[in-house]
Amino acid sequence: MSNQIHIDGENYFITLAIKNVVEDVVRKSQLNIGHLRMVVVVDATPFLELQRFQKLDLAAWDLIFCSGYFYNIVSEFSPEKLNKFICVDNNITELRNDLAVQLKDMHRETIGLNLADELSPQKPLFTPCELAFINDYFSCMRAKQIARVTGNNVKSVSNKKRNIMNKIHCTKNSDFYITLYFLNMLHKVELELHEPKTKVRTTVAWQRVSGQEAAAFQYAH
């Protein structure tokens, strides 16, 4: 069986650097990983990296090299999928060690020696009420609109948003959008975007986001 290593990635230099590390680890471990599908999604900002993720079918890849930003999201909210993610933000020694452990575990699974119990199913991350709010908010509805539709006041709506952001450790709107879109890819939240439920000027609804956040909405739609 061929042990030729191929790693996909849009950034040539980052992909080449990671491939060199992988080849060094494989050479020392003498593992055959030629059959593995590997991809590098690391980019300059979390938003750009999210765009790379959105082009992938996560289930189709065996190893995904990503930044600590996304690795931490997986570790916190989807640990059962952590065995296919490698954080490249570590120093070179830690990266080599993490990769060596990961490849050995994958090799054991391939030959049927992994006897570890599967992780217990996790309870839903969000309540039905929180999911409804998230989908309203991501459908470009402002706090006043959501309050009008749900019969709550604006302060209650703002508090609900803040509580949801705290639950997923977000302090900025940009992190809120990126984290939820990524959790959607991990099947931890179902984003069902819809037309705003009240008649408002679309341009007004979009004024609450700017720069990368507005682009995130456009990309999702």
Side-chain angles (χ1 to χ4, degrees):
M1 182 183 295
S2 172
N3 199 29
Q4 184 176 359
I5 297 171
H6 176 73
I7 303 178
D8 286 335
E10 294 185 20
N11 188 307
Y12 172 79
F13 295 104
I14 294 178
T15 303
L16 180 61
I18 291 176
K19 183 179 179 181
N20 289 337
V21 174
V22 173
E23 288 177 338
D24 185 52
V25 171
V26 170
R27 186 164 49 249
K28 293 178 180 178
S29 65
Q30 297 185 335
L31 295 175
N32 191 324
I33 66 167
H35 62 288
L36 295 182
R37 295 198 64 198
M38 297 177 281
V39 63
V40 177
V41 295
V42 181
D43 212 312
T45 69
F47 174 71
L48 293 175
E49 192 167 338
L50 176 66
Q51 287 187 315
R52 295 195 189 280
F53 267 114
Q54 288 175 314
K55 298 175 183 178
L56 302 179
D57 174 7
L58 298 186
W61 298 93
D62 299 301
L63 270 184
I64 301 172
F65 295 87
C66 65
S67 68
Y69 186 101
F70 290 93
Y71 184 87
N72 290 336
I73 294 174
V74 179
S75 177
E76 177 75 18
F77 302 111
S78 191
E80 73 280 2
K81 294 183 174 68
L82 201 59
N83 61 347
K84 67 164 53 189
F85 290 86
I86 292 286
C87 175
V88 301
D89 288 351
N90 297 328
N91 62 51
I92 189 66
T93 301
E94 291 178 338
L95 177 58
R96 290 176 190 273
N97 292 339
D98 291 346
L99 187 57
V101 171
Q102 197 92 321
L103 292 176
K104 287 179 181 177
D105 287 344
M106 296 179 75
H107 178 69
R108 293 177 64 210
E109 290 178 2
T110 300
I111 62 177
L113 295 180
N114 190 348
L115 303 178
D117 294 332
E118 294 185 1
L119 293 175
S120 301
Q122 294 181 310
K123 66 178 183 179
L125 182 56
F126 300 107
T127 66
C129 183
E130 289 172 334
L131 281 175
F133 172 86
I134 289 170
N135 282 300
D136 284 344
Y137 191 78
F138 270 69
S139 297
C140 293
M141 291 182 66
R142 294 178 299 166
K144 288 183 179 179
Q145 295 174 260
I146 297 174
R148 190 180 307 127
V149 170
T150 60
N152 294 313
N153 57 49
V154 174
K155 184 176 181 180
S156 296
V157 172
S158 297
N159 287 339
K160 181 172 291 186
K161 178 192 172 187
R162 184 168 58 251
N163 290 338
I164 294 173
M165 291 179 70
N166 289 339
K167 179 179 281 191
I168 56 177
H169 313 311
C170 294
T171 58
K172 299 185 297 184
N173 280 341
S174 57
D175 290 333
F176 187 44
Y177 301 136
I178 291 170
T179 300
L180 282 173
Y181 278 129
F182 190 55
L183 288 174
N184 180 61
M185 296 186 67
L186 295 172
H187 304 295
K188 291 299 177 180
V189 59
E190 294 297 327
L191 295 182
E192 299 177 356
L193 305 183
H194 55 74
E195 293 296 325
K197 297 176 182 177
T198 58
K199 294 182 179 180
V200 295
R201 290 171 56 198
T202 302
T203 53
V204 174
W206 282 66
Q207 285 176 358
R208 62 185 173 86
V209 295
S210 61
Q212 292 183 351
E213 297 168 19
F217 271 106
Q218 292 171 331
Y219 196 88
H221 284 66

